[in-house]
Each structure stands twice: as C-alpha cells, then as structure tokens.
Amino acid sequence: MDCKVTSLWLLVTLLIMYPGVYAPDYQFGREPTDKTIIVGNGSASDTESFILKCEVLYMYDDQRVGWLKNDTFISINETIFDLPGTDLVDKSRYTAEKPFHDCRRCGGTYTLTVTGITPATAAMDSGKYQCATFFANFQISYMTSPAVITIYAVPRQNHPLCRLSSPSKSNISTSTPPIAVLPYETLTLACLSDPGLPPVNMSWSRQNHTGDLQPSRAGQTREGLSFIEYKWTPSNALDMNTVFTCRVQQSTIIEYDSECSIGPFIEESDHTTQILPIGESATMRAGRVIVFTASILNVLFYSI
C-alpha cells in the first residue's frame, strides 16, 4: 500500500515539475470544418476561395506539420508539393502558412488557403482535407478529423452555346434565322457548355419529334467545355422548317435548366456569301445579279 502511495506521489511530482512529459506530442484546439462552395452561373472571371485552419497548441522541434488531401500529403510546413505525374493540386493557387517556430511546446494557427476556384477547377479542389503532425519519415503522430470541401460548379449564364457547320462552311451564323443551307449537305449541330460538377446532362431534340436525338459524338474540348454533336442532312422543304434545341440541365442545390436553338432554315443554292456596307443599293456588280435575303446585310451573288 505504501509502495502505491509513493508511486502516486512520484507521478504527481513529475507532472508538476515536467508538465510535458506525459502529455500528447501534438494537440489541436480547433479542427477544420466542412464547407460548401458554389462557383459559376456568372461571368468567366468569377472565382471563389476557402481557408482551412487548425489551431496547434504545441509541437516538438523534431516534428513537422502538414496538410493532407484525400489521404495524401500536399504540404510540409509552408511548402506545397504534389506527387510526380499527378494533378493533385495546382501549386500556384494553394498556400500553407505556419507563423510559428518548430520548438518544444510551440504553437499557433496553421492555415491552408485555396484561391482561384472556377468551374474548371471544381473537381480538383473538392475533397477531404486534414491537418497532421509527422516525423521525418512521414510517420503521423496526430491527425485532425477530415474537413470535406464540396464544390458545386454551375454553368455560366450564357451557356449552352449552339454552333452549326457543314463541309463547305466551318462556322454558319445562327443568330438571324432562317439559316441558309445547301440541301442534301450534312450539317453538324454542336452544343457546348461548362461541364459542371456534378456533370450536366446535355441533349438534342427536334421540333415536332418525340424523344431526344442520339448524338453522333460527345466529349470535351481542349478548353474544357463539354459538347455533344448531332448530324443532320436536310432533304426537302419540310425539313427546312424544323428547329433543333439543345437543353442543358443540372440538379444541385441550385437547379440549372437552360437551352439554345438552331433553325429554321431556308434553301441556299450553290453560291458564295458576301457582306455589303449598309446602304448599298446596287443591283448588279461585276456581271453578277445581287439577290437580297431577309437580312439587309447578307447579299447573295449568283453567276450569270
């Protein structure tokens, strides 16, 4: 019994004289918290950011502090790094700050700041973040609970974008219908949109036809836009009256539903198109008859 009392007094004496001996090697006063961010649905320059903080009560001089993303280290103290051959983070937009020294029982606020978040970076910046202390061999001695960053990327307000092309014309204007096209020439109808996160649903439909049209091709452009294409060959006057509509939908905490259209069309003979200055009133130039379309700026030249 006396032995137990003596041992207890010895333990109390050690804790009073050396309070750090039996304390954990690393502590956090505040852990990072979950965040939800919405980007997009505005101009192309719209960006968002977030800051994660963990309050370090004390750490030892042989330890380091760092941030993990999805269970992989992305920083050591104030150095941001990534794994070779991966795009885990964009180091130009990630900043870690540790305004305290490595010493016994030193502490302070360790932060991770992520800036320049756009619809294009939403997938990269979303994920699970944790703050941890570790030794030189990356042996983790303490780690916070995860902060889950959820980023919803909504397409911009001017999306989707409808485009029209043919073998004879790489870009046919669709802003002033009816659109002049050659009969029996296959047209490519393209619809482009910010990809969104979660990904948007894109579909083509045709006036007076039930159900969605089967796209001929889908994917992403080099600029990171999602697209779907539909091939169509007009063959008669009835075809010319049709209108195609691309619809883009996304279900997030913000409901996004937008569309663009192409059509109707008019038959165009085999000729070239030239734009004359406003006010041009000539009816014959260089042996060619000028035929005016519905737009006063578009002049069609027929050889005679």
Side-chain angles (χ1 to χ4, degrees):
M1 185 69 177
D2 292 340
C3 181
K4 292 182 178 180
V5 172
T6 302
S7 299
L8 178 61
W9 276 107
L10 178 60
L11 175 60
V12 171
T13 302
L14 287 172
L15 288 174
I16 294 174
M17 295 179 62
Y18 307 101
V21 171
Y22 291 96
D25 60 347
Y26 195 66
Q27 291 184 3
F28 292 94
R30 183 174 68 250
E31 298 188 350
T33 56
D34 295 349
K35 295 180 182 293
T36 298
I37 299 171
I38 300 175
V39 293
N41 202 28
S43 67
S45 61
D46 283 350
T47 61
E48 296 291 340
S49 63
F50 66 84
I51 301 176
L52 297 177
K53 299 179 181 180
C54 63
E55 194 73 24
V56 181
L57 300 184
Y58 60 81
M59 61 184 297
Y60 294 153
D61 55 5
D62 60 343
Q63 291 179 310
R64 301 293 181 267
V65 65
W67 288 99
L68 294 88
K69 179 185 176 186
N70 298 331
D71 302 318
T72 302
F73 276 102
I74 60 173
S75 74
I76 298 178
N77 291 339
E78 295 184 334
T79 301
I80 300 290
F81 63 97
D82 53 18
L83 300 177
T86 72
D87 56 355
L88 189 61
V89 298
D90 179 357
K91 292 191 289 186
S92 66
R93 297 186 298 105
Y94 282 62
T95 305
E97 293 183 297
K98 175 178 165 289
F100 54 90
H101 299 290
D102 297 329
C103 63
R104 186 179 180 83
R105 299 181 64 80
C106 285
T109 302
Y110 182 51
T111 64
L112 178 69
T113 303
V114 181
T115 61
I117 302 172
T118 66
T121 70
M124 175 188 294
D125 299 328
S126 296
K128 179 182 70 175
Y129 293 81
Q130 291 170 280
C131 182
T133 183
F134 53 93
F135 296 94
N137 60 358
F138 284 90
Q139 178 185 350
I140 296 176
S141 52
Y142 189 85
M143 183 163 55
T144 66
S145 59
V148 178
I149 305 300
T150 304
I151 303 177
Y152 295 104
V154 182
R156 282 168 279 181
Q157 292 178 347
N158 63 333
H159 285 203
L161 307 172
C162 282
R163 299 286 186 264
L164 181 65
S165 61
S166 69
S168 61
K169 296 181 182 179
S170 59
N171 186 18
I172 302 174
S173 174
T174 61
S175 59
T176 56
I179 303 166
V181 295
L182 294 173
Y184 301 103
E185 184 174 49
T186 299
L187 302 174
T188 300
L189 293 80
C191 180
L192 301 95
S193 172
D194 287 325
L197 188 68
V200 296
N201 179 51
M202 308 176 69
S203 61
W204 275 111
S205 62
R206 181 177 177 180
Q207 184 183 25
N208 300 326
H209 287 67
T210 58
D212 294 336
L213 302 173
Q214 183 65 35
S216 58
R217 194 164 69 103
Q220 278 201 333
T221 67
R222 287 180 293 181
E223 294 76 19
L225 297 178
S226 295
F227 75 89
I228 58 171
E229 290 182 350
Y230 178 71
K231 300 284 188 180
W232 175 64
T233 304
S235 59
N236 53 47
L238 186 61
D239 280 347
M240 293 297 175
N241 292 324
T242 195
V243 175
F244 294 90
T245 299
C246 174
R247 188 176 185 184
V248 174
Q249 296 174 291
Q250 182 190 47
S251 295
T252 63
I253 55 179
I254 293 180
E255 290 293 328
Y256 183 87
D257 191 339
S258 186
E259 61 185 33
C260 62
S261 298
I262 298 178
F265 304 85
I266 59 173
E267 185 174 333
E268 174 185 344
S269 299
D270 189 9
H271 55 69
T272 58
T273 300
Q274 177 174 328
I275 297 178
L276 294 182
I278 296 177
E280 182 81 41
S281 59
T283 57
M284 177 93 58
R285 178 188 290 180
R288 294 183 176 183
V289 177
I290 302 175
V291 181
F292 288 88
T293 65
S295 171
I296 63 170
L297 296 182
N298 292 329
V299 183
L300 308 180
F301 290 78
Y302 289 79
S303 298
I304 59 175

